[in-house]
């Protein structure tokens, strides 16, 4: 590791020194020295692979025979993959909305209270935990023991069910509700992010607007609905888009909690399974391309926003 | 907005009335009134509890003996406390599990994977912000847009390339991949910060005869420290907590795989070994939690500066 860092530093220093030595370095050389390494890596690591993967998606499982759109047909027509697509849709709709909503409500409730720092810290903390760690935490919450004499529940939720007189449930195995229990983990992690960004946006609402609304007699829920939410709309959109993208691409939770069994798989997890477990490169590539197609609208939206903010600048 | 009832004007001759509250103070008072409504504080407390209890449960369990974890709920601990470091001992130094090796792997993976992309992104951001050249804007938008290529799209071609170069399964592949994947966002964020530095500062240095390298290190770097810290923490958490890249490039080789890969494997193969899983999860958590708690302010600033990696 030390060797790698040193090597890297030496190379960078050489490039920079050679650029700065002669005062007559042409502009293009300067640009090449500063931008070159980054652009080279991006071309090698993102651009070229992207082209390769798109090409790969039209080939069979070994990547040698051209089969046209067969992989795409498979993806949309086989019931197994339809379940995957359905689950992905559920994740992408529920996680951003619920995480943003809970984050927003919580940010409003604790805003400017005495315990604000502590209260926000508690919700924010899961962001530092890896999705694998979060999955283990929640697997423990969902843990199941058969309901028999002398067998105690060790999972909190099942214990509650037993206390209330219900049967304990195998939350992670019973389809289709298990998808719902899985995506709770993602919401748990992402809410802190939503809360932080939205809380900053709420604090940025000018005092005189709040003041005027208050004089108009707006309080509580109506203040929230008519003043808070419209004032922070841009931040809300950023949060929704970001959480959506994270949700689409994340596979750690599904892989750690159920391994994609029991009808819980999502596109990102199925990509991993097909590519590395089943050795079906063509279908894996198709799933990756599908993920990419799903985020393209987001790219366009983001670039538009960037243009707008550049104009304001 | 309609601005109707004017606030009641206070009689001028009431000396008892203190200075009027500032709007900010009034909002704080309102917030207090709001939270004193039982519903609002109830909801806030419920959310806080739901968000905290799962972690506490796992933490408590990690200090209980294996027998107790498997036979009774962790909440019974408060009635009959027991304490052991046996789980941690077995997880860290036990012959088969030995997280300590993977812990070191994680450190070895993370440090270069944070330093390299930040350095390269700083250079690129500098070029985009302060050097004029043709096609600059288009190139910048292109780099920005690359942020959104899902990692999944890049993994297999990259891996095939690494195999061809015969570096597959080494730390090099993990470092290089993490660096590449971080570049678009890093360049974008650091560029935004650089743009906010007053051009007059750079102009002045230029008049004094400073070259680009000197401007970069002497003028810009000191001002960029908060931004670099923010992204550094971000990248640190991302790399330390990553599973996908690690599994793809280092997963098959135990002397390279990081903690997350090991933990995921443990969860899959021995899903009911709670005494190992609980302790293991906390071993994997402790470094990011320390970094996160210590540098939270910078991290939040980084989040708020606009872009976030997906």
């Amino acid at each position: 590791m030390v060797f790698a860092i040193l090597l890297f530093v030496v190379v960078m220093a050489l490039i920079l020194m050679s650029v700065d030595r002669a005062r007559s370095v042409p502009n293009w050389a300067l640009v090449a020295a500063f931008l070159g390494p980054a652009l080279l890596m991006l071309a090698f690591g993102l651009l070229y692979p992207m082209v390769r993967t798109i090409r790969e998606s039209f080939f069979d499982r070994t990547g040698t025979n051209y089969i046209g759109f067969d992989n795409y047909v498979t993806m949309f027509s086989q019931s197994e993959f339809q379940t995957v697509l359905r689950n992905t849709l559920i994740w992408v709709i529920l996680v951003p909305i619920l995480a943003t909503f809970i984050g927003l409500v919580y940010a409003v409730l604790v805003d400017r209270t005495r315990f604000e720092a502590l209260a926000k810290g508690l919700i924010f903390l899961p962001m530092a935990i890896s999705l694998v760690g979060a999955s283990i935490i929640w697997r423990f919450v969902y843990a199941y023991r058969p309901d028999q004499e002398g067998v105690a529940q060790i999972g909190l939720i099942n214990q509650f069910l037993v206390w209330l007189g219900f049967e304990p449930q195998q939350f992670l195995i019973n389809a289709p509700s298990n998808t719902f229990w899985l995506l709770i983990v993602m919401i748990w992690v992402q809410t802190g992010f939503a809360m932080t960004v939205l809380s900053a946006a709420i604090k940025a609402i000018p005092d005189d607007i709040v003041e005027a609304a208050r004089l108009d007699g707006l309080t509580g829920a109506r203040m929230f609905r008519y003043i808070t939410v419209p004032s922070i709309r841009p931040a809300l959109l950023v949060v929704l888009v970001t959480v959506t993208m994270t949700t689409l691409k994340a596979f750690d939770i599904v892989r750690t909690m159920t391994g994609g069994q029991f009808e819980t798989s999502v596109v990102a997890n199925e990509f991993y399974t097909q590519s590395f477990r089943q050795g079906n490169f063509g279908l894996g590539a198709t799933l990756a391309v599908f993920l990419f197609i799903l985020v393209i609208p987001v790219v366009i939206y983001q670039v538009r926003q960037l243009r707008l903010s550049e104009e304001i600048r | 907005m309609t601005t109707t009832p004017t606030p009641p004007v206070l009689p001028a001759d009431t000396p008892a009335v203190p200075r009027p509250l500032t709007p900010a103070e009034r909002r704080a008072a309102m917030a207090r009134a709001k939270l004193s409504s039982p519903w609002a504080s109830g909801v806030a407390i419920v959310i806080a509890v739901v968000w905290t209890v799962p972690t506490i449960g796992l933490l408590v369990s990690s200090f209980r003996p294996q027998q107790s974890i498997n036979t009774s709920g962790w909440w019974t601990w408060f009635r009959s406390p027991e304490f052991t470091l046996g789980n941690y001992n077995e997880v860290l130094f036990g012959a088969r599990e030995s997280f300590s090796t993977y812990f070191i792997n994680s450190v070895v993976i993370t440090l270069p994977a944070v330093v390299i992309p930040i350095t390269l992104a700083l250079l690129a951001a500098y070029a985009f912000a302060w050097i004029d050249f043709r096609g600059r804007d288009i190139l910048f938008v292109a780099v920005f847009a690359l942020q959104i290529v899902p990692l999944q799209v890049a993994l297999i071609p990259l891996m095939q390339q690494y195999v061809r170069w015969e570096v597959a399964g080494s730390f090099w592949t993990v470092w290089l991949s993490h660096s590449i994947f971080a570049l678009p966002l890093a360049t974008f964020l650091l560029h935004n910060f650089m743009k906010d530095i007053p051009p007059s500062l750079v102009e002045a240095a230029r008049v004094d005869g400073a070259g680009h390298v000197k401007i970069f290190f002497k003028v810009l770097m000191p001002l960029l420290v908060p931004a670099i810290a923010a992204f550094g923490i971000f990248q640190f958490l991302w790399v330390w907590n990553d599973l996908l890249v690690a599994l793809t490039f280092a997963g098959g080789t135990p002397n390279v795989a990081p903690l997350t890969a090991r933990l995921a494997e443990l969860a899959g193969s021995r899903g009911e070994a709670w005494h190992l899983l609980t302790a293991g999860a906390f071993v994997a958590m402790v470094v990011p939690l320390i970094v996160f708690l210590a540098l939270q302010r910078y991290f939040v600033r980084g989040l708020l500066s606009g872009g976030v990696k997906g």
Side-chain angles (χ1 to χ4, degrees):
Chain A
M1 172 184 76
V2 176
F3 170 69
I5 293 185
L6 278 180
L7 181 74
F8 174 73
V9 168
V10 169
V11 171
M12 290 319 298
L14 279 179
I15 294 178
L16 286 182
M17 268 163 59
S18 64
V19 172
D20 218 32
R21 260 295 162 67
R23 298 253 53 197
S24 59
V25 178
N27 202 35
W28 64 264
L30 205 64
V31 172
F34 275 89
L35 264 183
L39 290 187
L40 216 70
M41 282 171 76
L42 287 176
F44 161 75
L46 285 176
L47 218 53
Y48 167 73
M50 197 169 84
V51 177
R52 279 292 301 256
T53 299
I54 292 173
R55 183 177 165 275
E56 202 93 338
S57 71
F58 295 107
F59 284 76
D60 69 355
R61 56 186 307 128
T62 57
T64 44
N65 302 313
Y66 179 81
I67 53 169
F69 279 91
D70 279 10
N71 284 324
Y72 291 87
V73 173
T74 308
M75 187 171 72
F76 285 107
S77 59
Q78 283 189 9
S79 68
E80 174 194 351
F81 291 107
Q82 280 171 351
T83 311
V84 172
L85 294 183
R86 185 203 66 195
N87 288 343
T88 307
L89 195 69
I90 296 174
W91 278 74
V92 179
I93 292 173
L94 284 185
V95 173
I97 291 177
L98 288 176
T100 310
F101 178 74
I102 299 173
L104 176 61
V105 168
Y106 193 77
V108 170
L109 288 181
V110 302
D111 189 41
R112 287 164 203 260
T113 57
R114 218 177 324 152
F115 306 106
E116 181 169 356
L118 173 70
K120 284 161 90 173
L122 291 180
I123 308 291
F124 198 36
L125 214 53
M127 285 204 57
I129 301 172
S130 66
L131 289 180
V132 178
S135 305
I136 290 175
I137 288 177
W138 280 88
R139 249 174 72 163
F140 197 55
V141 174
Y142 296 145
Y144 165 83
R145 289 279 182 281
D147 192 19
Q148 288 162 10
E149 196 61 42
V151 175
Q153 296 298 325
I154 62 167
L156 189 59
I157 298 190
N158 271 324
Q159 179 65 73
F160 270 118
L161 286 182
V162 170
W163 275 333
L164 295 173
F166 295 103
E167 292 266 302
Q169 298 290 311
Q170 305 212 42
F171 289 107
L172 296 178
I173 292 179
N174 297 339
S177 62
N178 50 6
T179 291
F180 179 73
W181 299 109
L182 287 188
L183 59 83
I184 282 182
V185 184
M186 195 62 163
I187 295 172
W188 184 71
V189 173
Q190 294 291 327
T191 298
F193 163 74
M195 180 210 57
T196 309
V197 176
L198 296 176
S199 170
I202 289 171
K203 289 196 188 303
I205 302 175
D207 277 324
D208 45 355
I209 291 183
V210 180
E211 188 62 11
R214 197 181 65 88
L215 292 177
D216 278 352
L218 284 189
T219 50
R222 286 173 60 221
M223 176 75 101
F224 178 74
R225 165 79 185 75
Y226 292 108
I227 303 297
T228 311
V229 172
S231 306
I232 59 168
R233 186 159 288 149
L236 272 176
L237 276 177
V238 168
V239 170
L240 275 173
V241 165
T242 312
V243 177
T244 305
M245 280 171 39
T246 313
T247 308
L248 258 183
K249 297 187 229 164
F251 88 125
D252 321 38
I253 294 177
V254 171
R255 192 169 180 285
T256 313
M257 293 189 83
T258 63
Q261 293 169 299
F262 320 117
E263 299 178 30
T264 55
S265 195
V266 294
V267 170
N269 180 67
E270 201 58 30
F271 157 82
Y272 189 86
T273 310
Q274 290 300 331
S275 303
F276 296 105
R277 290 281 165 81
Q278 315 277 359
N280 194 340
F281 288 121
L283 197 54
T286 309
L287 288 160
V289 171
F290 182 65
L291 268 187
F292 187 52
I293 293 171
L294 287 182
V295 292
I296 283 180
V298 186
V299 187
I300 296 171
Y301 175 77
Q302 296 259 51
V303 171
R304 274 235 184 105
Q305 290 299 106
L306 176 73
R307 280 272 162 78
L308 282 179
S309 67
E310 292 280 293
E311 274 165 27
I312 292 167
R313 221 181 270 274
Chain B
M1 191 171 312
T2 53
T3 47
T4 31
T6 42
V9 181
L10 292 167
D13 57 348
T14 43
V17 176
R19 74 186 164 80
L21 294 172
T22 65
E25 283 169 334
R26 227 170 292 155
R27 273 175 82 183
M30 266 173 56
R32 233 166 282 136
K34 181 177 61 191
L35 253 206
S36 62
S37 111
W39 276 105
S41 40
V43 170
I45 290 170
V46 166
I47 296 178
V49 167
V50 170
W51 253 250
T52 315
V53 163
T55 318
I56 293 177
L58 203 74
L59 181 64
V60 169
S61 295
S62 70
F63 291 110
R64 300 177 75 209
Q66 180 181 2
Q67 173 72 15
S68 310
I69 299 178
N70 288 330
T71 50
S72 61
W74 57 269
W75 48 91
T76 60
W77 180 86
F78 295 100
R79 259 183 286 133
S80 51
E82 301 162 283
F83 182 85
T84 173
L85 287 176
N87 302 335
Y88 283 93
N89 193 32
E90 190 178 346
V91 151
L92 278 172
F93 309 110
R96 265 180 316 158
E97 319 301 343
S98 189
F99 267 49
S100 49
T101 320
Y102 295 96
F103 191 89
I104 294 168
N105 285 347
S106 273
V107 175
V108 173
I109 286 176
T110 307
L111 292 183
V114 172
V115 173
I116 295 174
I118 289 183
T119 317
L120 292 177
L122 272 174
L123 292 180
Y126 177 83
F128 280 129
W130 300 112
I131 304 178
D132 244 328
F133 61 93
R134 232 161 36 129
R136 180 171 76 166
D137 291 343
I138 292 179
L139 215 50
F140 182 66
V141 169
V143 169
F144 172 79
L146 277 179
Q147 234 185 96
I148 302 154
V149 175
L151 295 192
Q152 280 87 348
V153 168
L155 289 182
I156 291 179
L158 264 183
M159 185 139 98
Q160 289 166 342
Q161 192 59 54
Y162 292 147
V163 170
R164 236 168 284 149
W165 286 346
E166 295 177 358
V167 290
S170 70
F171 282 120
W172 294 96
T173 61
V174 190
W175 291 330
L176 185 59
S177 313
H178 272 306
S179 301
I180 290 170
F181 297 149
L183 271 177
L185 180 73
T187 309
F188 175 68
L189 284 184
L190 294 175
H191 169 265
N192 286 356
F193 274 97
M194 285 211 195
K195 271 277 173 190
D196 285 342
I197 293 172
S200 54
L201 269 181
V202 179
E203 299 289 309
R206 218 167 262 165
V207 171
D208 286 348
H212 282 289
V213 175
K214 202 162 179 200
I215 292 177
F216 185 80
F217 281 106
K218 288 271 161 64
V219 182
L220 295 178
M221 275 299 260
L223 294 170
L224 282 173
V225 167
I228 295 171
F231 185 77
I233 302 160
F234 205 77
Q235 176 70 1
F236 179 90
L237 290 179
W238 166 257
V239 174
W240 186 279
N241 288 336
D242 157 78
L243 178 65
L244 182 59
V245 176
L247 268 187
T248 309
F249 297 122
T253 34
N255 48 346
V256 179
L259 270 174
T260 45
R262 178 68 191 126
L263 198 58
E265 194 189 341
L266 198 63
S269 59
R270 311 190 39 196
E272 293 299 291
W274 285 116
H275 65 298
L276 299 180
L277 278 176
T278 51
F282 275 98
V283 171
M285 254 178 238
V286 74
V287 172
L289 279 185
I290 290 172
V291 169
F292 183 79
L293 290 176
L295 304 171
Q296 211 190 49
R297 268 181 318 138
Y298 291 111
F299 183 69
V300 171
R301 231 183 112 174
L303 274 186
L304 299 179
S305 65
V308 173
K309 174 184 252 157

